[in-house]
Amino acid sequence: MLEQAVTEETFSRLQHLPIGTKVKSRTEEDKERNLPEFTYMQESLDSLNMPISLDSINRIYTTILNGKEFPSKCKISIFKGNQLIQYSGKIKKSIFNINNTSVKIYRAKS
């Protein structure tokens, strides 16, 4: 469900680009890699001053969870290695936490 939220957020940014703007996609040499399509678009969107919005992902993810009858509040974080880069959302107290499988949003630099 988190991957779905990231996909929706990515495509919402794509819709705001001028018609004809080129955005990177999966290359032929990467076709065997198990990465979501949005992973390949992030660098292009960043270079076009349209960085990923954790607030938007958080809102979309919460809506998805609520739609599946999991009312919740989320905290979403981006890490580079073990270093926290960015986060969205606050949770002061919680009955339980769900740690989602990490979603790779950028390709590893070669």
Side-chain angles (χ1 to χ4, degrees):
M1 289 184 276
L2 179 57
E3 190 171 312
Q4 179 185 346
V6 176
T7 299
E8 287 183 29
E9 189 277 340
T10 300
F11 280 91
S12 73
R13 287 183 288 143
L14 289 171
Q15 291 174 352
H16 290 92
L17 293 173
I19 293 174
T21 303
K22 293 185 180 187
V23 176
K24 290 180 189 174
S25 187
R26 187 183 310 269
T27 62
E28 191 63 31
E29 58 222 22
D30 281 349
K31 70 179 181 180
E32 298 300 320
R33 291 181 72 188
N34 188 22
L35 295 173
E37 188 65 31
F38 60 74
T39 303
Y40 296 89
M41 300 175 189
Q42 300 306 326
E43 292 170 12
S44 291
L45 290 167
D46 281 351
S47 70
L48 295 166
N49 291 323
M50 298 193 79
I52 197 165
S53 169
L54 287 187
D55 291 333
S56 293
I57 293 171
N58 199 340
R59 185 178 61 342
I60 294 166
Y61 188 49
T62 300
T63 300
I64 292 168
L65 290 173
N66 288 337
K68 303 228 181 245
E69 297 185 14
F70 294 115
S72 63
K73 293 186 179 182
C74 302
K75 179 176 180 182
I76 298 177
S77 307
I78 293 179
F79 284 87
K80 185 174 185 178
N82 290 328
Q83 182 180 3
L84 176 65
I85 303 296
Q86 186 181 4
Y87 71 91
S88 173
K90 297 180 202 174
I91 300 176
K92 294 182 180 177
K93 291 186 179 179
S94 168
I95 296 173
F96 64 92
N97 291 315
I98 297 173
N99 284 330
N100 200 340
T101 304
S102 63
V103 175
K104 190 171 179 91
I105 59 171
Y106 290 100
R107 295 181 298 143
K109 300 285 184 189
S110 306

